[in-house]
Amino acid sequence: MTEIQNLHFATDQSTVDALNSEFYGKIQFPWPPQYFERVQQTDLAPRMLAQDIGYWHQEVLPQEARIWVAGCGTNQALFTALRFQHGQVLGSDLSAESLAVCKANAGSLGVENFELRRESINQVSYEGLFDHVICTGVIHHNADPLEPLLRLARALKPGGVLELMVYNQFHRILTSAFQNALWILLGKPGQPNLTRELNIGRRLVETFREDSLMSQFLASTPKMPDTAFADLLLQPVEHSFSVESLEKAARRCGLEMLTFCNGQYSRTKNEADWNLELADPGLQELYDALPDTERWQVTNLLKAESSPMLWFYFQRVDSPRPRKPERQICDEFLKTRFIRVKTQKEIYMREPEGGYSKQPLISPFPRETGSPLARSVYSALDEGAPLQATLAKLGIEPSFSKLSLLRLGLATSGCPFLQAV
């Protein structure tokens, strides 16, 4: 699907680095959040990361883990430092302006367990330094995404975990089509010009009235601020992936795909689960028998634009920690004893004049679970017995699909309601 990707300016890595530095210097993405928060149970984030990849009784990160947020933008390094409170976080980005925003926000909150560096992922030489690497929404904006992916892989310690998000090709068909059409309307320029692209792009979305999927897609964009509009429709270089192409790229870089993340955007849309429930029992049996990545490929192809974001965990192929198939993770989830997470979180609200409040609001954490199924299990949980006892009491058949949904909704970083004993 290369022909519908936005690759006009994907000439070489250093040129694209310069384009991205200029672009994110002007739009500063992501925009300031309304609040930052910190959970008072300081070991919760590393515990949940271990549970994400199916390690219920074993630490995945050391207590003072070294964490690299590669392409951190304005706030991701700060979010990460607030989550992993005993970790040492490095945030890297090309944009000096974005790093300045992050530094100012961290200063207003008094967060000190991180540092920021202006650097390109394509030029670093980190070798086996980090226990955890986070890179979301970054490598697909490079001339060749494999080059930064290889740098991320090299930066991992042998037992390290990479959290990676790239664009799902089915999610980006309309954005890439718009970007290509705009490029032609602009006269196929040799260099991006954000001011001109904003002007022509705004005029196009406000006046395009054809009865089409594109019109429906563009309907909400006139109300977007320039930052959001530019990030969605004007990024100078944009690759996208399928499950299959992402796994192949990872293998070429010495990585293996572990399992999917319960990422915030997919979770908000209830689209985090990569498993299908098929009406035909025979087809369901064929589907369930597939290896994880092939099963996720089928989901990617059949759900197309409704498939989840490509947000996955990876580890080095030489990791001393065996990869657990999703079915094994779910079987162990069923046989594990859990207690409810009960803590509080500190909420630092954005001030009208900028910065964040020194005195946080204190709120119980976590709040109510999402799905009715997860709520019923959470409420009835027998903390003195394996999870299967609670499911039996409720008369819930522990099928693979139900266990996958329950695991996502109760015992992952995105939904940290249950903690393994």
Side-chain angles (χ1 to χ4, degrees), residues 19 28 53 85 146 284 292 305 309 319 377:
L19 295 179
Q28 266 127 71
I53 61 172
Q85 296 170 48
L146 260 67
Q284 186 72 50
D292 286 345
E305 79 285 352
M309 298 184 74
S319 172
V377 172

Side-chain angles (χ1 to χ4, degrees), residues 226-395:
D226 284 350
T227 300
F229 186 91
D231 182 67
L232 179 68
L233 295 173
L234 304 179
Q235 222 288 343
V237 174
E238 181 180 305
H239 294 260
S240 58
F241 293 80
S242 64
V243 170
E244 181 181 15
S245 63
L246 177 58
E247 185 190 23
K248 286 181 179 177
R251 285 284 177 185
R252 288 177 62 183
C253 296
L255 296 167
E256 63 179 344
M257 187 179 282
L258 296 175
T259 190
F260 46 88
C261 299
N262 194 4
Q264 64 187 85
Y265 302 110
S266 294
R267 187 169 67 251
T268 301
K269 298 179 180 180
N270 294 317
E271 293 179 350
D273 190 15
W274 275 92
N275 295 297
L276 294 174
E277 288 195 59
L278 303 173
D280 184 312
L283 291 177
Q284 186 72 50
E285 186 177 350
L286 288 174
Y287 173 79
D288 288 345
L290 292 170
D292 286 345
T293 55
E294 291 185 15
R295 195 174 64 256
W296 300 333
Q297 285 176 38
V298 172
T299 304
N300 199 190
L301 293 166
L302 292 181
K303 294 192 73 173
E305 79 285 352
S306 297
S307 58
M309 298 184 74
L310 293 181
W311 201 323
F312 284 85
Y313 290 116
F314 297 81
Q315 67 184 15
R316 287 170 40 165
V317 293
D318 62 348
S319 172
R321 185 178 52 249
R323 177 193 182 273
K324 292 187 178 183
E326 192 184 358
R327 185 172 292 278
Q328 180 184 348
I329 293 174
C330 287
D331 287 344
E332 292 176 356
F333 172 60
L334 180 66
K335 297 170 184 175
T336 296
R337 183 164 69 91
F338 292 93
I339 58 172
R340 296 175 182 88
V341 172
K342 292 180 180 178
T343 183
Q344 293 180 315
K345 67 178 177 182
E346 303 161 358
I347 304 171
Y348 299 85
M349 301 300 299
R350 184 169 171 77
E351 302 279 17
E353 66 276 10
Y356 291 83
S357 58
K358 298 291 186 184
Q359 295 300 318
L361 303 173
I362 304 298
S363 173
F365 184 85
R367 306 293 285 196
E368 188 178 68
T369 55
S371 72
L373 177 64
R375 280 199 298 272
S376 66
V377 172
Y378 179 81
S379 298
L381 180 70
D382 181 351
E383 295 188 345
L387 182 67
Q388 58 192 358
T390 300
L391 299 190
K393 180 171 64 176
L394 293 171

Side-chain angles (χ1 to χ4, degrees), residues 405-419:
L405 285 171
L406 281 172
R407 184 181 72 85
L408 283 175
L410 289 173
T412 57
S413 294
C415 297
F417 294 94
L418 300 183
Q419 176 180 310

Side-chain angles (χ1 to χ4, degrees), residues 173-187:
I173 291 172
L174 293 175
T175 57
S176 293
F178 182 89
Q179 289 161 347
N180 279 278
L182 183 63
W183 179 68
I184 296 169
L185 281 173
L186 290 166

Side-chain angles (χ1 to χ4, degrees), residues 4 10 34 47 57 102 107 122-124 135 189 210 216 233 239-240 244 289 312 317 348 361 379 393 400:
I4 58 167
Q34 289 304 307
R47 278 176 174 266
H57 309 294
C102 187
N122 298 307
Q123 296 174 356
V124 297
C135 186
E210 295 294 323
Q216 297 171 32
L233 295 173
H239 294 260
S240 58
E244 181 181 15
F312 284 85
V317 293
Y348 299 85
L361 303 173
S379 298
K393 180 171 64 176
F400 173 53

Side-chain angles (χ1 to χ4, degrees), residues 49 52-53 60-62 65-72 76-77 80-81 83-84 87-92 119-122 124-139 147-166 253 255-256 258-259 261 311-316 321:
L49 176 62
D52 287 343
I53 61 172
V60 167
L61 299 186
R66 296 190 67 181
I67 302 170
W68 181 28
V69 185
C72 62
Q76 195 178 20
T80 304
R83 285 179 61 218
F84 295 93
Q88 292 300 313
V89 177
L90 168 64
S92 298
E119 59 189 5
S120 167
I121 302 174
N122 298 307
V124 297
S125 56
Y126 302 132
E127 295 277 351
L129 284 183
F130 299 101
D131 303 287
H132 189 26
V133 174
I134 301 170
C135 186
T136 58
V138 177
I139 69 167
E147 185 167 329
L149 183 56
L150 183 60
R151 304 272 179 165
L152 300 177
R154 287 174 177 166
L156 277 177
K157 291 182 180 179
V161 177
L162 167 65
E163 178 183 335
L164 180 74
M165 186 276 282
V166 295
C253 296
L255 296 167
E256 63 179 344
L258 296 175
T259 190
C261 299
W311 201 323
F312 284 85
Y313 290 116
F314 297 81
Q315 67 184 15
R316 287 170 40 165
R321 185 178 52 249

